[in-house]
Amino acid sequence: MNRLTDYTSHADALAHASSAALWDLFDGDREQLNIAHECINRHADGSGRAAVRIAHSDGADEILSFDEISAGAARFAHWLDAEGVKLGERIAFMLEPGLPFYVCLFGAMQTGAISVPLFTLFGPDALKLRVGDCNPAVLVTNAEKAELARAVSRDSADGPRVIVADDAFLASLAHFPATYVAKTRANDMAVFQYTSGTTRELPEAVKHSHRTLVTLMFAALYGTGIRPGDEFFCPSSPAWGHGLWHGTLAPLGMGVTTGTFAGKFDPVRLMKALQDYRITNMSAAATHYRMMKNSGKGGDFTFHFEKLSYTGEPIDPATLEWIDEYFKVPACSMYGTTEIGVVLVNFPGAKDFTVKPGSLGKAVPGQKLEVQRPDGSPCDPGEVGELMLWRAQRGQEPGWMSTKDLARIDEDGYFYHCGRADDVIISAGWTMSAVEIENTMLKHPDVNESAVIGAPDEARGLVVKAFVVTDRAPSDAYVKELQDFTRERLAQHEFPRIVEFTAELPKTPAGKV
């Protein structure tokens, strides 16, 4: 009997994709399922087959096998049990990709604890907000971030235990068994995933159960085109949704070797890894492609691509032309959010699907989307409106759900992105909250008022621009001071690249900026 992974055409996707067919890809069922088992343990057959290839920014290559990750995760799970960690407690970890990251991710989930990946460039304010929100029992990090983690823990009323995941800690787990029987049901929580920016001061944690892995496979099959036999790579950080779900869990769930990047991003280092690992399928942020183009080094490498996808923002025409010239296959957009998942795709690898440059593609099988006017009526082709998703969840009234994005469709039913409908800024693939940046800047003693917007930028799509009202004399030194002040408290990428000083901010009659 054929499985969904045996089909590659668009016509077959429409004919065969169903929830029941997705479940056939897994060992678990609707009652009992565990992500760690599906992604790692069932593929750990003693062969030493590669699970993850990591391209480190310093030039080192690290290859981790299914066997190695499975044994380490089992030992960490036994350690958590010995420490008294209970079902549903949170285990946060702020680590770059490497053996400790995957040991924590999959070890915690096996015990019924909830894995909470955190970005390694978070400053004290950003980390404290998230730790305060999820209240983890344990916070695992590296030696470089240990003091920051301990300081945040001390500032919390019931701060987490801080563990440094160095060689000594991993060695201390060696006496525990290298196998573990997972304890979870399909509907138990597995991951708290913080979005990288919303309209709130604290980006909301999206709570995923173990069965989320099953629905994720629609995006894997039709958004990134993953199939057994692919050599896959995703340079996005696994602390965020794309890098974790599409770059890590989806390929591993199919037994596909995946790859990722660790350390400060370098487009030339990435291209060398893509060449050396003979990558056939890559999913990346639009900015990764743009930075590779801007490096001017594309012609120095030999590529082996069969499928490409991107997410986060549209790719500019010049970069799409560069991809066609050097990678020789079309880059396929996929659209979604951490909250709703991927809902529009371009079916990479489907020979019967035409990829239109700049298009978001068409709906994932089983999804229904529409571009609507403010009164709820559907827009005509070419007319810009709000992109709406039909939701008919069990126990809820069916209806249209706003994606917070503007869009249009063409005569062939392809969707096109036309900007955000809220105040989220997407810059170089990062999603940032204007409100979070404004609120941080207002903590500076010399800032009276601040308003943040996204300003067009050739390299990054948009950059953060801050308008500042202050009594202090403007200067280049003051601009840098504000930039450093913000990035040190939020994240290294999350600061205003442009600062404009102004006497006042425009306001509504109610006093809102």
Side-chain angles (χ1 to χ4, degrees), residues 368-505:
K368 179 182 177 183
L369 293 102
E370 192 170 86
V371 179
Q372 296 182 356
R373 303 183 181 101
D375 64 4
S377 62
C379 291
D380 294 328
E383 181 184 357
V384 175
E386 188 162 2
L387 181 61
M388 306 294 287
L389 172 67
W390 180 259
R391 277 292 161 98
Q393 295 179 334
R394 186 180 302 171
Q396 298 181 13
E397 286 292 326
W400 290 105
M401 171 185 175
S402 173
T403 65
K404 308 289 186 179
D405 277 319
L406 302 176
R408 62 179 174 84
I409 58 169
D410 66 13
E411 292 78 3
D412 299 319
Y414 285 76
F415 288 79
Y416 293 80
H417 189 260
C418 297
R420 297 290 291 182
D422 57 19
D423 65 351
V424 170
I425 300 167
I426 299 176
S427 176
W430 300 108
T431 305
M432 295 175 281
S433 166
V435 172
E436 187 175 26
I437 296 171
E438 287 169 0
N439 289 345
T440 298
M441 294 190 71
L442 287 170
K443 293 179 181 179
H444 191 285
D446 294 330
V447 173
N448 299 330
E449 290 185 293
S450 177
V452 167
I453 64 167
D457 180 80
E458 182 176 351
R460 296 172 178 270
L462 292 173
V463 294
V464 174
K465 179 176 181 178
F467 296 87
V468 173
V469 177
T470 178
D471 296 325
R472 182 170 159 183
S475 68
D476 291 343
Y478 186 21
V479 169
K480 185 176 187 305
E481 180 182 326
L482 293 174
Q483 292 170 332
D484 292 343
F485 180 87
T486 308
R487 72 195 305 174
E488 287 169 4
R489 285 159 176 78
L490 293 177
Q492 290 299 304
H493 67 282
E494 201 167 5
F495 68 98
R497 293 181 179 271
I498 303 172
V499 176
E500 181 174 330
F501 297 100
T502 182
E504 61 181 15
L505 298 176

Side-chain angles (χ1 to χ4, degrees), residues 185-197:
R185 299 184 301 270
N187 287 332
D188 287 341
M189 288 295 110
V191 176
F192 283 4
Q193 181 82 56
Y194 283 97
T195 62
S196 50

